Amino acid sequence: MSAKSFLSGFLIGGIAAGITTLLTTPYSGKEVRRVCSDNGKAFLQHIQELKIDLNEIKDSVKTVTVEGKTVLSAFIEELKLSLDTWKEEIKPHQELLQQELDELQSTINELENDLK
């Protein structure tokens, strides 16, 4: 089946369905046109509302992105500062522990020498 025959069959079927619907509808032509017009207007109104909502969502995403970058940058800077402060605070303790470890190693070496 070629695309041309499929498209022509689809188009002819759509036209036939439209004509059949118009001829078998229980409403007069005026009423059908009014209903179609009302439905068309309602559809366009929904589309416009959707467009407005999507623009609001887009603006919200932009705002969140900008604020998120700012907050994340501030958080990272605070974290770096906290880590640097922690390193400075722990440095004396670290040196003390290293001295104690050296003393323990020295004592162990002395004990090994005494045992030999």
Side-chain angles (χ1 to χ4, degrees):
M1 178 189 288
S2 70
K4 186 176 181 181
S5 64
F6 176 76
L7 185 59
S8 63
F10 186 75
L11 185 62
I12 291 170
I15 291 171
I19 291 171
T20 303
T21 302
L22 287 175
L23 293 176
T24 59
T25 184
Y27 303 111
S28 68
K30 223 179 203 183
E31 290 175 5
V32 170
R33 284 191 298 274
R34 183 186 52 79
V35 169
C36 286
S37 175
D38 291 346
N39 288 340
K41 289 176 185 175
F43 179 73
L44 288 176
Q45 183 179 2
H46 288 302
I47 294 295
Q48 289 172 348
E49 289 173 1
L50 182 63
K51 182 180 176 183
I52 291 169
D53 291 343
L54 287 175
N55 283 331
E56 288 175 1
I57 290 171
K58 183 178 89 172
D59 293 340
S60 296
V61 168
K62 281 182 182 178
T63 302
V64 167
T65 303
V66 170
E67 289 177 0
K69 285 181 182 178
T70 304
V71 169
L72 189 60
S73 296
F75 174 74
I76 289 172
E77 288 302 317
E78 289 178 16
L79 187 60
K80 285 180 182 178
L81 182 62
S82 295
L83 284 173
D84 290 341
T85 304
W86 178 77
K87 284 179 183 178
E88 289 301 317
E89 288 176 356
I90 197 133
K91 197 171 197 173
H93 300 289
Q94 189 177 17
E95 290 172 356
L96 181 63
L97 285 172
Q98 186 62 45
Q99 286 175 357
E100 290 178 3
L101 284 173
D102 290 342
E103 289 174 9
L104 281 173
Q105 185 64 41
S106 163
T107 305
I108 290 172
N109 288 339
E110 286 177 12
L111 286 173
E112 285 178 352
N113 288 336
D114 288 345
L115 289 174
K116 288 182 183 181

